[in-house]
Amino acid sequence: MEDNEGRERLRRHHRGLLPRPTQAPSMGSVAKSNGKSIQPLCEKIVLFEGRRKYVCAAVVEQSYHSPLLWSSSYSELGLLRAGRRQGVSSALANLLQVFSKGRNNVKQHDQSGVANAGILVVGGLLTVAKFAVLFLSRSLCSGAWPYLQVLSICTLPIGPLKHLELPEPIRSAAKSIAGPVLGITVAQPVVWWCLPDVYRTARFWHRLLPIYFGYMRTKRQVRKMTPPEKEEVWAVRHEWGGEKVHKLVLDMSGFYVKSAQILATKADFVPEPWIRRLSNHLDNAPPRPFPEVELSIMQQLSTCPCKSSLPVNSRGLVPLDAVFMDVDRTALAAASIAQVHTGMLKDGSRVVIKVQHFGMEKVMASDLRNIGWVAKFLEGQLPFDLGPIVKEIQATIPLEFDFLREVWFMVEIKRSLEANGFNQIVCPAPMLDLCAKRLIVMERLDGVPFTHILHPSASQELQKRIPEVVRAVEYLVHAYGQMLFVDGVFHADPHAGNLLLLADGRLGLLDFGQSKVLQNCVRIKLAHMIQALANKEDGAIARALLDLGLVFEDIHGGVVSESRLATMARILFDTCYVAEATVSPMSQDSLLRTTPLRAFNQAIWMVVRTLVILRGMCFALKMDLSATTIWLPFAQAALQSEENS
């Protein structure tokens, strides 16, 4: 701004620093050039308004011109502010001393720049710290955030807000945080649009931190309470925490749905309020709109093996009515990666269509990075190392996005179970010609999900079928002996949402996305572990644990007893009732507090995960079922086969 109005505004903002534009400052000689005195004259004034205010002037002495300010950098701004406090003469003198000597004073100018650069770095760090504190406050005290936004808006010098009078302490405090508060408020939609990954990460920590600090606060609060008082306080906290975790999973979806499914099956140590809320995520995730699902199905049909025999529309997509007689627009079930709809083929076959959500790979990648950071955040606070577990999860979850891989597991496990006489377990047959990388069309199994039967509010009619569920679970454990120790190919996600009780009492096994092929060496080591557990040989159990790469330590520096190691092995590799297994790893009474797990083999995580789910289901059904006793013949067959090979 270079007009008269600009000069008037400059004078108002810097009263006492610069003269009126109609007068030349009478200061005398304040600097010399070539032995001659330079009479400063403010020839041109430029004002850049906003957060930064700068002055640009020129010193005139006959034909000699020396810029008063070379540019609008932070070093000049700092000197201008310093001069403002000293008065007119000293201000111009200081400015001329720095900027009118040209190259002869480069060193001095550089030193000034270095000093001001240091000030700039410190100021930047303080700004970052202020943003971090406000972000943390927004997470932990979300109720106060709207009030901070209102106060920040009240400090803006616009319209009627300029005349708004606030008490001085409040105004000063509000001014100091107004920029960051408004910045965070404005940045939220911008980051959501431009950087969705960063936005999702921030939203996750915004929901996680209050839960973490809430439980830490209660942990300190109950230290000196009596057991009944502790129980009462923890009951209130678990109700609060269950609702918070449920909302986190509901809001974030993605990988967190899978985590909720595991926790929902761990009734042996996860608090009941958590179980009650997280069980809703076993098969009841929010579905995507059908138009989006329809588009995805048409895209995938155009890449399936029989695509050459199917008609396409003007966009190169296969219309649904070219393959299906009918597709139900209401989702049968929805999960983190995909959702399921029922339909009917042209030949009248009743099918289930599993279609992958758009954009879920990027979302899942973000979630997997987040759990890596959570593992580092909790490092040293848990009695076991999350690192290897997280690495295995990060390696296996991305594989679920290849539905052709899932089809292979479906076919292979179905073939093995039928060939080995496990006819009480039914796996749906895929329509291979209609399957693609993000689409599976399979036969429909009619049955009742275990989640409906085991739900606390299940009808009397469904509750009468619980004995059938008990028999089906026991039969499933037998089938896992075949999968784990003979085939080395197993379904690793047998939670209640993936199990159906069919009308004839048979078990329907669904969702083969989380399946795994065991390396032969790992399979044999597991067989040795099962044999040792079944024979109750503590020494052999301890050696088998070490051979599997699991190392336990005594926090007091002693040697962990073989009996203690045998208990740990039963918790990890059996489904029988073990009192210590019902204690949360976070509890002070947990064995892991005195005997922490210091090393874990990520190659066996999916096996342990499967057993954790099966143990939780057995506990919920009040079944004292020993998997090692059932698996002993399968383990011995695997060892015998290894010896003969």
Side-chain angles (χ1 to χ4, degrees), residues 228-469:
E229 291 173 336
K230 288 182 179 180
E231 187 175 347
E232 184 178 350
V233 172
W234 276 116
V236 174
R237 176 57 70 187
H238 289 325
E239 287 287 348
W240 172 88
E243 184 63 24
K244 287 285 187 181
V245 172
H246 168 66
K247 288 182 178 179
L248 184 151
V249 176
L250 198 63
D251 179 43
M252 301 297 297
S253 187
F255 172 78
Y256 309 108
V257 173
K258 295 187 174 295
S259 302
Q261 290 169 348
I262 296 177
L263 291 175
T265 62
K266 290 302 294 171
D268 42 355
F269 68 77
V270 174
E272 189 276 334
W274 285 47
I275 297 291
R276 189 177 350 111
R277 289 170 173 81
L278 296 182
S279 60
N280 294 320
H281 299 282
L282 289 173
D283 59 357
N284 197 27
R288 297 289 181 90
F290 184 75
E292 178 183 324
V293 173
E294 182 181 18
L295 177 60
S296 182
I297 295 174
M298 292 193 296
Q299 286 180 343
Q300 293 304 306
L301 286 175
S302 63
T303 65
C304 68
C306 65
K307 61 183 178 181
S308 58
S309 61
L310 297 175
V312 296
N313 60 20
S314 58
R315 294 185 295 171
L317 305 176
V318 176
L320 291 188
D321 57 12
V323 177
F324 303 100
M325 187 182 302
D326 178 57
V327 176
D328 191 350
R329 298 178 65 90
T330 302
L332 179 65
S336 53
I337 290 178
Q339 69 187 53
V340 174
H341 291 256
T342 58
M344 183 177 292
L345 296 179
K346 288 286 190 178
D347 61 4
S349 302
R350 297 168 69 243
V351 295
V352 166
I353 306 162
K354 181 177 180 180
V355 58
Q356 194 173 128
H357 298 314
F358 280 122
M360 281 306 300
E361 287 188 79
K362 292 183 179 179
V363 170
M364 197 65 74
S366 173
D367 294 347
L368 292 176
R369 283 195 298 272
N370 282 337
I371 65 165
W373 293 336
V374 169
K376 293 180 180 179
F377 178 71
L378 296 177
E379 190 173 350
Q381 302 181 52
L382 296 177
F384 51 88
D385 184 11
L386 278 176
I389 297 174
V390 168
K391 288 179 181 178
E392 178 67 7
I393 291 172
Q394 291 173 331
T396 56
I397 291 296
L399 300 177
E400 290 189 51
F401 290 93
D402 185 358
F403 279 5
L404 294 178
R405 174 182 178 272
E406 181 175 344
V407 168
W408 182 87
F409 278 109
M410 188 185 302
V411 171
E412 185 65 23
I413 293 174
K414 178 181 176 65
R415 181 202 59 76
S416 173
L417 293 179
E418 291 176 352
N420 290 283
F422 290 94
N423 299 319
Q424 292 300 307
I425 297 179
V426 182
C427 302
M431 312 299 177
L432 297 178
D433 287 345
L434 296 175
C435 293
K437 188 174 182 180
R438 292 179 173 83
L439 176 71
I440 301 177
V441 180
M442 68 192 94
E443 69 170 316
R444 180 175 179 178
L445 302 181
D446 290 319
V448 183
F450 278 21
T451 49
H452 294 180
I453 300 173
L454 301 179
H455 198 277
S457 61
S459 65
Q460 289 291 332
E461 184 179 352
L462 288 179
Q463 290 182 16
K464 289 179 182 178
R465 302 198 69 182
I466 288 181
E468 294 180 75
V469 173

Side-chain angles (χ1 to χ4, degrees), residues 78-112:
L79 286 169
L80 179 59
R81 286 175 173 170
R84 180 181 178 186
R85 292 192 295 270
Q86 298 173 24
V88 177
S89 300
S90 59
L92 289 176
N94 288 339
L95 290 169
L96 285 172
Q97 287 174 7
V98 174
F99 297 109
S100 65
K101 294 183 180 179
R103 296 183 179 180
N104 295 330
N105 205 19
V106 170
K107 185 176 180 180
Q108 179 182 349
H109 180 70
D110 290 344
Q111 291 174 347
S112 174

